[in-house]
Amino acid sequence: MSERLRKQLVGLSQPGTLPLLRHLQRGIEKEGLRVDRLGDLAQTPHPRALGSALTHPHITTDYSEALLEFITGVHDTTEGVLDELEQIHQFTAVELEDEILWNASMPCRLGSEEEIPVAQYGTSNSARLKTIYRLGLGYRYGRHMQTIAGIHYNFSLPDALWPVILGEPPTQAAINAAYFGGIRNFRRYSWLLSYLFGASPALSRSFLNGQPHQLQELDEDTLYAPYGTSLRMGDLGYQSSAQEGLRINYNCIENYTETLTRAILEPHPDYERIGIVVDGEYRQLSAGLLQIENEFYSTIRPKRVAARGE
């Protein structure tokens, strides 16, 4: 055991540290498809009763107009964040009228690519950017893949805990380094989370859209893997073959931003062939391997808070 780790463990074991550990910061972003009573993807616009998808602080959409996303505030208790998520969910369920929320991460019955409506946010520059980005995802990966729902768990430490962990007055550089150390450890063991807690062993036949597979038939519409834990995280799930060769560096924040920026700025041949503006209409934001940083698919990412209009 290193001397640094020994000091950290000693600091965390002190009686005064326990109250600080009770104030870990967390928030949840939960996605879910709107479907009709037959279990087909909803073709209706984002419900007016749920407010503006562009500006509402807690209810928006992700890729599709039918893919809702619930966003909690920051909470220092598990009970607090789950209570708020439940309240958002209950409010939405009441306002959906003849529709319901699909409860699985793998999607409901889907039609053709054209029958999966891309999210619309309005006519402002920021609204158009969000829609064009999603159009690009459809051209790059197919709209079927973009209907997969997920949960993002946001996490940070309270400021008062950093002197205990670092053993010295905290600087932003030291805090950044500690977060990236945690990110590297999470990536090292993230396979274990899918193995132990993965819960998406089945999917609708329509999702495959003609892709080859080795799944078994459960019923007329459903295919499954008998020993599957998370199809969502497998080859049939939320994946990008183009990003397989992407090497994002997690050594420090400077290396991370440098390699991520390079992936955004360098054109990718497959995406150049799609085109950016075709017949006067945008197909994607750029021909880079990533249009924006959100397109980087990873089990964990450091997150920044962008200023309005940034």
Side-chain angles (χ1 to χ4, degrees):
M1 180 185 300
S2 69
E3 181 62 19
R4 180 181 178 183
L5 178 58
R6 188 192 68 80
K7 289 182 178 179
Q8 289 177 339
L9 293 176
V10 169
L12 290 171
S13 66
Q14 298 305 307
T17 304
L18 187 58
L20 299 177
L21 293 173
R22 294 196 180 107
H23 292 282
L24 301 177
Q25 307 294 297
R26 72 268 285 175
I28 293 177
E29 302 169 15
K30 180 182 183 295
E31 301 164 357
L33 288 170
R34 290 187 293 112
V35 302
D36 62 24
R37 295 291 174 170
L38 297 177
D40 295 315
L41 186 70
Q43 298 297 308
T44 52
H46 184 66
R48 291 178 61 87
L50 302 184
S52 167
L54 179 65
T55 60
H56 197 290
H58 300 298
I59 303 174
T60 184
T61 53
D62 197 87
Y63 176 79
S64 173
E65 189 78 346
L67 184 55
L68 290 172
E69 182 171 0
F70 302 151
I71 305 168
T72 73
V74 179
H75 294 264
D76 60 7
T77 67
T78 302
E79 295 77 15
V81 72
L82 292 178
D83 285 347
E84 183 181 7
L85 183 62
E86 183 178 10
Q87 291 172 23
I88 299 172
H89 195 291
Q90 289 174 339
F91 170 79
T92 302
V94 170
E95 298 297 337
L96 288 185
E97 298 181 351
D98 293 332
E99 297 173 349
I100 58 177
L101 288 171
W102 189 250
N103 69 333
S105 58
M106 299 306 288
C108 58
R109 283 198 301 268
L110 301 172
S112 65
E113 292 272 296
E114 293 72 24
E115 293 175 295
I116 300 173
V118 176
Q120 303 294 316
Y121 298 95
T123 57
S124 67
N125 287 341
S126 58
R128 289 292 296 147
L129 183 144
K130 290 170 73 72
T131 295
I132 293 168
Y133 166 60
R134 285 157 174 77
L135 287 171
L137 296 178
Y139 278 109
R140 292 170 176 225
Y141 314 114
R143 295 187 181 186
H144 281 73
M145 189 188 88
Q146 297 299 320
T147 61
I148 297 175
I151 288 181
H152 297 161
Y153 180 77
N154 300 319
F155 173 83
S156 63
L157 296 178
D159 292 341
L161 192 57
W162 283 116
V164 178
I165 292 176
L166 298 175
E168 55 192 33
T171 64
Q172 189 59 57
I175 292 173
N176 290 343
Y179 271 129
F180 271 84
I183 288 172
R184 291 193 298 273
N185 276 333
F186 183 92
R187 285 174 57 83
R188 185 175 293 118
Y189 297 111
S190 61
W191 64 271
L192 185 60
L193 294 176
S194 294
Y195 177 75
L196 293 176
F197 302 109
S200 56
L203 51 75
S204 169
R205 188 188 301 271
S206 65
F207 175 79
L208 294 175
N209 202 26
Q211 293 182 72
H213 65 86
Q214 297 178 319
L215 302 176
Q216 297 184 21
E217 186 175 286
L218 182 65
D219 57 33
E220 182 178 346
D221 181 65
T222 308
L223 302 173
Y224 76 107
Y227 303 102
T229 55
S230 183
L231 296 181
R232 183 191 188 282
M233 299 299 291
D235 293 341
L236 296 175
Y238 210 81
Q239 300 290 334
S240 167
S241 57
Q243 292 186 25
E244 289 178 357
L246 181 58
R247 296 292 179 264
I248 299 297
N249 189 308
Y250 290 92
N251 286 341
C252 62
I253 191 170
E254 291 79 14
N255 290 158
Y256 178 82
T257 53
E258 177 187 356
T259 51
L260 193 62
T261 300
R262 189 182 309 137
I264 294 172
L265 296 180
E266 291 185 0
H268 188 277
D270 290 344
Y271 303 153
E272 287 182 309
R273 284 189 282 271
I274 293 172
I276 298 175
V277 181
V278 179
D279 297 329
E281 296 290 333
Y282 274 92
R283 288 188 171 183
Q284 53 185 342
L285 293 175
S286 76
L289 178 57
L290 306 177
Q291 298 175 87
I292 57 177
E293 62 192 74
N294 289 359
E295 192 174 343
F296 174 44
Y297 298 149
S298 178
T299 53
I300 185 171
R301 298 183 303 194
K303 190 172 185 178
R304 68 187 178 107
V305 179
R308 183 175 180 82
E310 183 178 2

